[in-house]
Structure formats: structure tokens, C-alpha cells
């Protein structure tokens, strides 16, 4: 019993000594616990400020590019141009008039395109292949082949090609109607013949029109760099889905604007492509007159609100509009009971009408209002002109 009490006393004394030693060590070297036991204070005696938000790691778009880039192709075109050979003035003076001579040269250009299905359908800009005698396509994997034109639509600056080749990469197609200003986009193309190049930017605006680039305009504006050779290439979103076809950039010559490029939204591309693949061309409604927007001053003189109508500046004889009584100078205020906001709005709405439909057109001839019924015809196909 005596020995047990001695053992317990010894253990208690050992524990007290150990705790005291540990307290002294921690008080002398608090860092041994892995962090300071007491927060350090600044000169004012206040504790240091709390740590800021965690550092944001910049997102990489490498996976998105890897998903989309294989389906972006380089397009090389060539056409034979015949031109008159300049004559020496001395020969003209000595021999008078004689038969002129001509020479031919090959004019080459480059652009880009996007493979949108496994059957080899390629979407590009119409101006990339306009007037071409030969079209060569180079894939990202190095394969090269000739492509055939399926159809062209100058009114939207789109063209559809066919590539007869197996095991083709296909671009995942997204939607353009969900794009918002500020969304990140990437442009992929063949600028200046540098093969595949990727530039990054944001959506600066949507629904851009009245730029004089095409008859039907509804462009995505972006600050992603679009250079010579990018035309017809892909505009993709951050996930790698196709949202547009790059088509134009504002002229930067003589100190012009930078970072203003335009792409055709993929929803419009899809509709044009389906019609071309089905019938070789795009079917649109047509009434036969050319509208023009009114300035604020003109609208005030006519007694209407700004954006309340358009004026007729030209009309084709024997067209539905002419036969119904529409004349140059008339004010057009409504179509199918809905007000007309501007000329682009009217042209787009008429184009969406099926040929053969009968529509109501509201307007004024001078101060006299009228409401006419017109039969919609198919819009004449615009002639494809070499660029």
C-alpha cells in the first residue's frame, strides 16, 4: 500500500513538471505550434487586416480550341483574269490603230471555312470564293483536296462548299440568340496565310445592321482580331461551340477604328445552309421596292415619330408594289398590322414571307393614307459578282 502511494505521488509530480516545461517552451517559442499563439499587432495596436479574396487563376481556353479548331479549314482560291496589255505610245504614233493584245494572269486569294457535318459541308463567306475557278481546302491535319460550290447567297455573304473526304472533323454548332454583350469569344482562321490562328475577345454588340456589308445584316460585333484571311472562319464561344462566321472588319487604314469586327450569327447561317442544301439557293419574299430610313428632321416634317416609318426611294416597274399603286416618295408605316421601325426591319420581314402569300401594306401617298394588299413574289437572285 505504501509503495502504491509513492508511485502515484511520483507520477503527479512528473506530470506537473512536464506541463510547466511545455508552458515555458510555448511561451518562449510559439511558432513551434505551427502558428503564432497571439496575432501580431501593428503600430496602432490593432490586429492585422483579414486576408483578401483568393487569387483568381486565369482560365485557359485550350480545351475549347482543341474541340473546335480541327474543323476550321484554310481555303485557297484562284481565278484567271484577262486584261489588256498596255501599248507603247511610239508604236501608236508610227502605225496608227492596230489590234490590241491581251494577257492572262492567275489571281489568288485566301480565306477560311468551317466543316459543319460529317458529309463534308463547309460554310464560308461568299466573297471568299466569288469568281473562283478553283478552290483548294487544307485541313488542320494537313490534308488537301478540291472543294465544289454547292450554292452562294450574296445577300448574306454566305457560301456552301462540299468536300469529298472521309473522317472529317466536325464543328460543334451552338446558338447565337443566347449571346450577351461581354461574353468571351474566340476567332479561328487563316490570317495572312499563317495557317490556324486563334484570337480572343468579347461580344461587343449583337444585332448590328445597316453597315452596307450585305443586304440582310444582323451581325455579332466583336473585338477579337479578324484579319485578312480570317473571313469565313469560326467565331466560337468559351465552350468551343460555333456561334458565328467571321466576315468583316471596319477599315483600319488612315488611323481608322481598331477592334471592331463582325460575324454572321450561326442561327442565320443555319437557315441559309438548310435552304441551299435543299434547293441550291435561298427563297425569300419580295415586293419590289427599296425602302430608306427617315432622318429625325424628315419624320418631323411628315408629322410622325422618329422610327415610325420608311420612305420608298426606288421601285421596279411591274413589281407587286408598283402594280398595287406604291410610288417613289411614299411613306410606308406598317406591314401585316405591325409598325415598320426601319428599312432593315421591313426588308427582313418581307424576306421571311413565303412567295404567294398576300400581305397588307400600310402607307401614305403625300397626306393621303392607304392600305394595300400585295401578293408576295420570290426575291430575284442577286447576281454573283467576282470580288
Amino acid at each position: 500500500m505504501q509503495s502504491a502511494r509513492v508511485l502515484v505521488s511520483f507520477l503527479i509530480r512528473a506530470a506537473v513538471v512536464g506541463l510547466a516545461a511545455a508552458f515555458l517552451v510555448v511561451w518562449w517559442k510559439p511558432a513551434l505550434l505551427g502558428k503564432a499563439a497571439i496575432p501580431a499587432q501593428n503600430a496602432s495596436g490593432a490586429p492585422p487586416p483579414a486576408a483578401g479574396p483568393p487569387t483568381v487563376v486565369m482560365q485557359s481556353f485550350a480545351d475549347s480550341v482543341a474541340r473546335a479548331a480541327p474543323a476550321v479549314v484554310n481555303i485557297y482560291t484562284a481565278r484567271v483574269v484577262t486584261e489588256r496589255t498596255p501599248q507603247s505610245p511610239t508604236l501608236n504614233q508610227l502605225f496608227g490603230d492596230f489590234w490590241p493584245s491581251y494577257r492572262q494572269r492567275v489571281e489568288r486569294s485566301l480565306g477560311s471555312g468551317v466543316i459543319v457535318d460529317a458529309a463534308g459541308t463547309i460554310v464560308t463567306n461568299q466573297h471568299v470564293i466569288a469568281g473562283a475557278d478553283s478552290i483548294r481546302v487544307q485541313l488542320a491535319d494537313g490534308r488537301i483536296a478540291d472543294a465544289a460550290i454547292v450554292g452562294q447567297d450574296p445577300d448574306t455573304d454566305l457560301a456552301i462548299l462540299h468536300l469529298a473526304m472521309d473522317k472529317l472533323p466536325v464543328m460543334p454548332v451552338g446558338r447565337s440568340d443566347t449571346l450577351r454583350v461581354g461574353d468571351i469569344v474566340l476567332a479561328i482562321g487563316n490570317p495572312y496565310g499563317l495557317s490556324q490562328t486563334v484570337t480572343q475577345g468579347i461580344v461587343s454588340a449583337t444585332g448590328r445592321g445597316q453597315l452596307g456589308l450585305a443586304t440582310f445584316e444582323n451581325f455579332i460585333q466583336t473585338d477579337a482580331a479578324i484579319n485578312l484571311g480570317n473571313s469565313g472562319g469560326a467565331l466560337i464561344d468559351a465552350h468551343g461551340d460555333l456561334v458565328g462566321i467571321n466576315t468583316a472588319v471596319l477599315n483600319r487604314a488612315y488611323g481608322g477604328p481598331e477592334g471592331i469586327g463582325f460575324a454572321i450569327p450561326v442561327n442565320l447561317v443555319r437557315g441559309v445552309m438548310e435552304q441551299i442544301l435543299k434547293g441550291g439557293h435561298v427563297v425569300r419574299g419580295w415586293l419590289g421596292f427599296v425602302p430608306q430610313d427617315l432622318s429625325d428632321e424628315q419624320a418631323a416634317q411628315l408629322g410622325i415619330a422618329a422610327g415610325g416609318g420608311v420612305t420608298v426611294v426606288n421601285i421596279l416597274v411591274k413589281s407587286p408594289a408598283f402594280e398595287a399603286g406604291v410610288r417613289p416618295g411614299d411613306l410606308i408605316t406598317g406591314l401585316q398590322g405591325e409598325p415598320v421601325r426601319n428599312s432593315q426591319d421591313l426588308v427582313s420581314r418581307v424576306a421571311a414571307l413565303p412567295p404567294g402569300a398576300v400581305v397588307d401594306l400600310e402607307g401614305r401617298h403625300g397626306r393621303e393614307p392607304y392600305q394595300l394588299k400585295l401578293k408576295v413574289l420570290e426575291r430575284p437572285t442577286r447576281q454573283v459578282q467576282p470580288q
Side-chain angles (χ1 to χ4, degrees):
M1 192 69 178
Q2 181 68 24
S3 61
R5 286 197 296 269
V6 172
L7 178 60
V8 171
S9 176
F10 172 78
L11 292 175
I12 291 174
R13 287 196 298 268
V16 170
V17 172
L19 290 173
F23 174 80
L24 290 175
V25 170
V26 172
W27 178 80
W28 183 256
K29 293 287 186 181
L32 293 176
L33 291 178
K35 62 179 180 179
I38 302 175
Q41 295 182 342
N42 55 26
S44 65
T55 302
V56 177
V57 179
M58 183 63 70
Q59 180 183 1
S60 170
F61 300 103
D63 291 339
S64 302
V65 173
R67 183 170 182 247
V72 180
V73 300
N74 302 335
I75 297 177
Y76 302 92
T77 65
R79 66 186 181 109
V80 177
V81 178
T82 302
E83 56 188 12
R84 185 170 178 173
T85 305
Q87 302 295 332
S88 169
T90 304
L91 292 176
N92 283 331
Q93 293 172 4
L94 290 176
F95 302 104
D97 294 335
F98 57 90
W99 290 106
S101 61
Y102 296 87
R103 65 182 178 185
Q104 291 184 329
R105 61 181 177 84
V106 177
E107 189 176 80
R108 304 183 186 277
S109 62
L110 54 87
S112 305
V114 181
I115 303 173
V116 293
D117 62 32
T121 302
I122 297 176
V123 177
T124 186
N125 283 144
Q126 189 271 334
H127 74 259
V128 168
I129 54 90
D133 295 312
S134 66
I135 303 172
R136 300 277 284 174
V137 172
Q138 180 177 7
L139 275 67
D141 60 13
R143 290 183 291 171
I144 299 176
D146 291 329
I149 298 176
V150 178
Q152 305 180 57
D153 185 37
D155 287 329
T156 55
D157 194 22
L158 288 171
I160 306 300
L161 310 179
H162 179 257
L163 184 65
M165 188 177 288
D166 296 329
K167 298 180 180 179
L168 292 172
V170 177
M171 172 71 69
V173 179
R175 295 175 55 183
S176 54
D177 57 343
T178 58
L179 284 178
R180 299 183 301 165
V181 174
D183 284 350
I184 293 174
V185 287
L186 308 169
I188 309 177
N190 179 27
Y192 298 100
L194 295 176
S195 189
Q196 275 201 356
T197 300
V198 182
T199 54
Q200 180 257 331
I202 63 170
V203 174
S204 304
T206 58
R208 285 290 194 229
Q210 298 178 305
L211 301 172
L213 301 175
T215 303
F216 301 100
E217 299 179 338
N218 184 27
F219 292 118
I220 302 166
Q221 181 181 327
T222 176
D223 66 345
I226 299 175
N227 296 297
L228 179 66
N230 267 115
S231 291
L235 188 73
I236 65 172
D237 61 18
H239 304 289
D241 293 333
L242 182 70
V243 294
I245 297 295
N246 302 321
T247 188
V249 62
L250 286 189
N251 189 0
R252 289 194 291 258
Y254 309 108
E258 294 187 3
I260 302 180
F262 300 99
I264 303 169
V266 73
N267 286 20
L268 174 60
V269 173
R270 187 184 289 110
V272 170
M273 179 181 68
E274 289 175 354
Q275 289 207 50
I276 289 179
L277 292 177
K278 181 179 179 180
H281 70 288
V282 180
V283 177
R284 296 187 175 95
W286 180 73
L287 296 178
F289 66 90
V290 178
Q292 185 179 71
D293 292 338
L294 294 170
S295 66
D296 293 345
E297 293 180 357
Q298 290 173 321
Q301 291 174 357
L302 293 171
I304 63 173
V310 298
T311 185
V312 177
V313 295
N314 200 357
I315 190 167
L316 188 66
V317 178
K318 296 184 179 180
S319 66
F322 185 86
E323 296 291 343
V326 179
R327 294 294 182 266
D330 283 4
L331 177 69
I332 305 300
T333 58
L335 179 72
Q336 292 293 75
E338 296 292 332
V340 172
R341 295 174 296 174
N342 53 56
S343 59
Q344 188 66 43
D345 170 56
L346 179 58
V347 170
S348 298
R349 286 165 59 185
V350 170
L353 297 170
V358 177
V359 297
D360 293 321
L361 187 72
E362 300 170 19
R364 274 178 17 196
H365 182 72
R367 295 289 178 178
E368 295 296 324
Y370 59 67
Q371 184 169 352
L372 306 172
K373 288 190 177 295
L374 290 76
K375 184 176 181 180
V376 180
L377 299 183
E378 181 177 341
R379 184 183 182 88
T381 303
R382 197 173 114 195
Q383 294 298 317
V384 176
Q385 298 292 336
Q387 301 295 305

